[in-house]
Amino acid sequence: MFGFEAAELAAARTVRPAYQPLRHWLEGSPRELMETRRRQAELFFRRIGITFAVYGDPDAAERLIPFDIVPRILAREEWTALEAGLKQRVGALNAFLADIYGKQEILRAGLVPPELVLLNPAFAMSQIGKRPVGDIWVQIAGIDLVRTDANQFFVLEDNARTPSGVSYMLENREVMLKLVPELFANLHVAPVEAYPEKLLETLHSVAPPGAGDEPNSVLLTPGQHNSAFYEHSFLADKLGIELVEGNDLFVRDDVVYMRTTEGPQRVDVIYRRLDDDFLDPLAFNPASMLGVPGLMSAYAAGNVTLANAVGTGVADDKAIYSYMPEIVKFYTGEEPLLSNVPTHRCREPEALAYVLDHLPELVVKEVDGSGGYGMLVGPHAPRATIEAFAAKLRAAPEKFIAQPTLALSTCPTLCDSGVAPRHVDLRPFVLTGTNGVQIVPGGLTRVALESGSLVVNSSQGGGTKDTWVLDD
Amino acid sequence: MLSRTAGSLYWVGRYLERAEYLTRLIEATLRLAALPSSYGGAGNAWDSALAAAWMKPLHEELGRPGDEQGVSAFLTVDSENPSSIRVCLERARANARSVRTALTLEAWEAINGAWLDVQKFGTRLESREQLVQLIDTVKVAMLVFDGAAHRTMLRGDAYWFIQLGAAIERADNTARLLDVKYHLLLPHGESVGGGLDYFQWTTILRTVSALTAYRWVYRDAVQPLKVADLLILNTQIPRSLTSCYQEILRRLDQLAAGHGRRGPAHRLAAHGLGQLEGASIDRIFGNGLHEFLGNFISENNRLGNAIAEQYLF
């Protein structure tokens, strides 16, 4: 039998029905067995090489993301509601990008301050007037969600550049199928394994018109020193497409080719896991060795599709995020199905004053930051850190937003002391092509392994769980 | 296939083959060093192991000790020796990792597992037991990789490039081994067939795991001329130069069939094989074994370069 922490016991009285079968399983599994399974999972991850790199930590060039074998569970009706909200949100993100690089109606309507868009470092001036295939800008989106109670999901972040983590969604499921087959036998867990196929369909659906019936798609990686390299190679393998680095591609007469043992072969769609700035040393960062010289001119000529499109970063900027409710309403004419976390834009003097007064209660983030770097979690920060952060805020308020800490939901998690509640978030992956919007049921659940911690980023010691959508 | 992928796979094949050769060399040396000196088990067994690995200059440069512990650590776990088993596996794994998608899960796991296992030994060896363990680990890992590749990989470019790299490396290793020992193979006065050399010859054969094969092929006492014949011209033993070139040409033909064209590498390989098949061991000795081997090693290098050029590595 498991030792449940007091809070968990109290919470257990109100365990959501979807978790009932899991509770029986947890209570019926001896501690040693769980430990053994945890070790098996780790061995499995290590053997197949699912690792990630932590920047600035040479000793941990390849680290495992801690995996928790207690799954996170969503009932089918919860998922159905979420799915509708995600489709609405990503649809609005795409419409927003098409608009700001097109007619800019939302700016003229005065709903979003123009300078926030036009002066944004992620706004790609070169893309004004451009129309990617199907006017789809974000083919692959990762939307970070947190939940506060049974009915309330909040969007924490939109990831519209090169969201990662989907390999963990797929591999976590594989591990769970190996480790706890007995649970799958009794529960109807919706499968996620169709993701690679759907992704390939999506990529093919946005191939440029000249590509022919069998477009050649490739996955462009910065290389094996990138923190997400495992995921890049994993996905390329599952998709059955070439994993290329910048050096493998070249551009001739505005057409992209890859260097193969049989000579040059034309490339139609590039699923790029490389940031805008590194795509083409001729157009962006001339010092970059990662990109492909001339790629942007091939892109401008419409001879190659980049997924996601260039310039999408402006949509996942955290200051733009704060306008998402207005953006969703503007383009869909509907009330947003997913809520935003109330956000203080420090660029506004009133908000800044409030934030400075309430730092110990707030989470402050850089508008263009990611990975949990450069953020302040007020309730867990020592006084000195808060004071240092206040100075940074005053120096460049426009670089920050602040949000209240939510009463985040927790999920039972295997810890040293037994099963205890830990905070979780959820990143489902939303695919958009000319063939429609597709979301596999589930996503990546990240879990903060420290008691009470709210930071789930893998670069900051967070772990992952399998995510189960249960069919009735 | 991407040229970079082809290049990485080719080097996976080469590095793994090199690591495997070193394990055999060390195994044979351990045996030779264990013999009383009156049977050829001279104190210089480890010295000649260094020579057979062509690593003497580097060993001196790094100032590593010349005794068993010093040399065996240098050959196995030394991270400053670019051809130590550890570094070979590290590089094979790095190459494999960069083209992970070209390998099956089983083949990748074998390489990754080998690297993880060898890494556990660290960069120093505490005892001979550890050395023996390490050698066994690597030997088994190589067999696992070969089995995984053979059983799970598509017979396509990826498989052929790995095999091609391995065959080029194998030819190179056999030729260098023979060249280092060529003086032992030459008939020289009274010591012909003498007790001392016998153990040296059998060591050569063990290094390419061909001692039993020798007996099956010749049903005769170990004689230097026949050792050379076996390792250069015999087509039954997989590490002979002729066998390696047969394999190289076969892999190149398979690649050509897939790509629909042949290139300079084919011509070089076919020429090399033609020369080996037309040669006799008497003529090779007549014209000078050392010259023959030196020429072979440089031609083999040229072939390696031609392959890289032809497939745009």
Side-chain angles (χ1 to χ4, degrees):
Chain A
M1 276 288 286
F2 260 112
F4 280 81
E5 284 184 6
E8 178 64 19
L9 271 180
R13 276 186 218 106
T14 57
V15 150
R16 287 183 299 112
Y19 272 92
Q20 280 305 343
L22 193 66
R23 192 180 176 192
H24 296 310
W25 171 71
L26 280 175
E27 287 174 352
S29 304
R31 177 87 203 242
E32 301 75 49
L33 182 64
M34 298 295 268
E35 267 308 318
T36 311
R37 281 169 166 163
R38 175 152 79 170
R39 272 199 303 276
Q40 281 172 339
E42 190 174 315
L43 190 66
F44 177 82
F45 284 127
R46 182 73 72 189
R47 279 316 267 208
I48 64 174
I50 309 184
T51 55
F52 76 107
V54 179
Y55 297 123
D57 185 355
D59 290 339
E62 287 175 35
R63 240 174 47 184
L64 287 181
I65 293 191
F67 171 70
D68 182 62
I69 69 166
V70 184
R72 191 259 184 89
I73 294 182
L74 295 166
R76 174 52 78 169
E77 72 263 19
E78 294 175 317
W79 175 255
T80 307
L82 256 188
E83 197 179 22
L86 289 167
K87 284 186 176 171
Q88 182 197 48
R89 181 128 180 152
V90 173
L93 281 174
N94 270 311
F96 173 68
L97 285 162
D99 185 28
I100 60 170
Y101 289 117
K103 296 180 181 157
Q104 303 191 332
E105 283 170 357
I106 197 162
L107 303 185
R108 271 185 273 134
L111 284 178
V112 178
E115 71 276 14
L116 207 54
V117 172
L118 304 177
L119 300 182
N120 196 301
F123 184 75
M125 214 63 97
S126 62
Q127 299 307 303
I128 293 178
K130 295 286 187 316
R131 280 198 52 171
V133 177
D135 226 355
I136 297 164
W137 292 71
V138 181
Q139 289 86 357
I140 302 110
I143 308 295
D144 290 351
L145 302 163
V146 291
R147 150 173 232 178
T148 52
D149 61 43
N151 301 313
Q152 190 73 313
F153 277 95
F154 285 97
V155 175
L156 206 55
E157 261 177 56
D158 304 290
N159 295 281
R161 297 177 218 209
T162 54
S164 63
V166 78
S167 58
Y168 294 97
M169 171 180 89
L170 297 167
E171 291 287 49
N172 287 354
R173 177 63 53 85
E174 291 303 312
V175 171
M176 291 298 280
L177 282 165
K178 284 205 176 84
L179 292 184
V180 288
E182 71 271 20
L183 271 176
F184 287 92
N186 301 326
L187 301 171
H188 304 284
V189 182
V192 291
E193 65 189 42
Y195 179 83
E197 210 166 293
K198 291 182 193 293
L199 174 56
L200 194 61
E201 278 170 28
T202 302
L203 293 175
H204 282 184
S205 82
V206 293
D213 290 341
E214 278 184 46
N216 182 22
S217 302
V218 299
L219 194 156
L220 175 61
T221 172
Q224 63 167 315
H225 300 294
N226 183 267
S227 66
F229 180 76
Y230 171 75
E231 172 155 309
H232 305 162
S233 67
F234 173 87
L235 279 177
D237 194 32
K238 296 287 170 197
L239 293 166
I241 64 178
E242 292 289 354
L243 176 66
V244 301
E245 296 177 16
N247 284 335
D248 298 323
L249 301 181
F250 67 95
V251 177
R252 193 193 296 147
D253 298 332
D254 285 347
V255 172
V256 183
Y257 297 92
M258 59 184 188
R259 298 174 217 272
T260 78
T261 52
E262 295 164 78
Q265 197 183 334
R266 187 176 166 152
V267 172
D268 302 303
V269 181
I270 302 178
Y271 174 23
R272 49 93 169 212
R273 298 292 297 260
L274 197 59
D275 288 340
D276 286 1
D277 284 354
F278 299 100
L279 281 176
D280 181 350
L282 299 181
F284 300 105
N285 181 354
S288 168
M289 303 291 287
L290 301 175
V292 186
L295 180 58
M296 287 313 293
S297 61
Y299 183 58
N303 290 333
V304 69
T305 297
L306 292 174
N308 292 341
V310 173
T312 55
V314 65
D316 67 14
D317 179 280
K318 293 188 178 66
I320 297 284
Y321 159 90
S322 65
Y323 291 96
M324 275 310 284
E326 288 85 355
I327 290 172
V328 171
K329 258 180 269 177
F330 185 75
Y331 294 110
T332 65
E334 302 161 3
E335 285 300 314
L337 301 170
L338 295 171
S339 331
N340 248 21
V341 181
T343 302
H344 309 281
R345 306 168 190 127
C346 302
R347 58 197 296 278
E348 296 166 6
E350 263 173 57
L352 177 64
Y354 175 86
V355 170
L356 286 171
D357 278 351
H358 295 82
L359 274 180
E361 304 154 24
L362 296 171
V363 177
V364 190
K365 300 176 182 171
E366 290 179 3
V367 288
D368 56 353
S370 66
Y373 291 103
M375 70 188 249
L376 173 81
V377 182
H380 296 288
R383 226 188 134 75
T385 313
I386 290 183
E387 274 162 23
F389 213 90
K392 271 165 70 179
L393 252 177
R394 279 193 206 92
E398 72 285 354
K399 287 209 174 113
F400 297 91
I401 54 115
Q403 295 167 337
T405 53
L406 302 174
L408 292 190
S409 69
T410 60
C411 178
T413 299
L414 188 59
C415 306
D416 291 340
S417 57
V419 172
R422 290 290 182 269
H423 291 300
V424 288
D425 78 352
L426 174 65
R427 175 182 290 182
F429 295 88
V430 184
L431 300 172
T432 310
T434 57
N435 56 339
V437 182
Q438 304 188 77
I439 313 174
V440 297
L444 171 67
T445 292
R446 297 184 297 177
V447 53
L449 294 173
E450 297 290 315
S451 178
S453 169
L454 299 171
V455 182
V456 295
N457 302 83
S458 53
S459 46
Q460 314 273 322
T464 70
K465 283 171 171 290
D466 194 11
T467 311
W468 292 1
V469 174
L470 293 190
D471 287 327
D472 309 320
Chain B
M1 162 172 284
L2 285 179
S3 297
R4 176 177 53 87
T5 308
S8 293
L9 291 169
Y10 172 85
W11 281 103
V12 166
R14 288 201 74 153
Y15 279 121
L16 291 179
E17 185 67 30
R18 194 173 295 175
E20 205 228 6
Y21 170 73
L22 287 176
T23 62
R24 291 179 190 285
L25 177 65
I26 291 166
E27 229 174 11
T29 307
L30 275 170
R31 217 188 141 93
L32 183 64
L35 287 172
S37 56
S38 54
Y39 292 89
N44 65 2
W46 288 100
D47 197 51
S48 71
L50 278 177
W54 288 51
M55 294 185 200
K56 250 180 131 102
L58 182 68
H59 181 262
E60 272 164 34
E61 196 186 308
L62 292 174
R64 301 286 192 261
D67 57 358
E68 175 184 322
Q69 211 176 358
V71 175
S72 62
F74 172 76
L75 292 177
T76 53
V77 293
D78 199 323
S79 54
E80 286 178 68
N81 172 4
S83 291
S84 72
I85 289 176
R86 180 189 166 93
V87 175
C88 283
L89 289 178
E90 188 178 0
R91 294 198 179 164
R93 179 187 181 263
N95 275 294
R97 187 167 183 260
S98 72
V99 295
R100 172 64 191 80
T101 55
L103 295 167
T104 55
L105 180 61
E106 289 83 354
W108 158 252
E109 276 186 8
I111 297 177
N112 193 36
W115 163 239
L116 292 173
D117 286 343
V118 166
Q119 216 183 5
K120 281 192 208 122
F121 287 90
T123 53
R124 292 186 46 193
L125 288 176
E126 301 300 332
S127 62
R128 177 178 277 199
E129 283 72 57
Q130 269 207 322
L131 175 64
V132 172
Q133 258 179 27
L134 176 83
I135 295 301
D136 284 346
T137 305
V138 176
K139 268 171 63 184
V140 170
M142 294 303 119
L143 294 174
V144 171
F145 174 76
D146 281 350
H150 175 73
R151 284 183 179 269
T152 63
M153 285 188 68
L154 287 178
R155 293 304 185 265
D157 288 7
Y159 184 75
W160 296 326
F161 274 113
I162 292 177
Q163 303 300 330
L164 188 59
I168 295 266
E169 181 70 24
R170 199 177 303 140
D172 186 66
N173 289 334
T174 302
R176 283 173 194 269
L177 175 70
L178 285 171
D179 199 25
V180 166
K181 307 276 183 180
Y182 87 97
H183 57 282
L184 293 169
L185 298 172
L186 294 178
H188 50 99
E190 70 277 14
S191 74
V192 178
L196 275 174
D197 286 353
Y198 171 83
F199 293 102
Q200 294 278 1
W201 301 328
T202 53
T203 301
I204 295 175
L205 289 171
R206 279 183 213 283
T207 305
V208 292
S209 44
L211 182 55
T212 310
Y214 179 96
R215 303 207 193 281
W216 279 101
V217 172
Y218 299 104
R219 301 184 182 283
D220 197 357
V222 177
Q223 296 169 22
L225 195 74
K226 285 179 178 160
V227 171
D229 182 57
L230 185 73
L231 297 188
I232 295 172
L233 299 178
N234 189 282
T235 53
Q236 285 172 280
I237 164 161
R239 284 185 173 73
S240 76
L241 302 186
T242 307
S243 289
C244 290
Y245 265 65
Q246 283 177 340
E247 167 144 13
I248 290 168
L249 199 61
R250 188 165 69 244
R251 299 309 178 194
L252 285 170
D253 281 342
Q254 285 166 325
L255 285 166
H259 294 189
R261 68 190 167 88
R262 303 166 73 86
H266 289 88
R267 280 189 292 281
L268 272 178
H271 179 72
L273 181 60
Q275 288 209 315
L276 285 164
E277 284 177 340
S280 77
I281 201 66
D282 292 324
R283 228 177 314 139
I284 290 174
F285 271 72
N287 295 336
L289 178 61
H290 179 56
E291 288 71 20
F292 171 84
L293 291 168
N295 187 45
F296 177 88
I297 290 169
S298 69
E299 283 298 306
N300 193 48
N301 269 338
R302 254 182 73 195
L303 176 57
N305 293 337
I307 290 169
E309 211 162 295
Q310 184 170 326
Y311 294 103
L312 312 161
F313 293 178

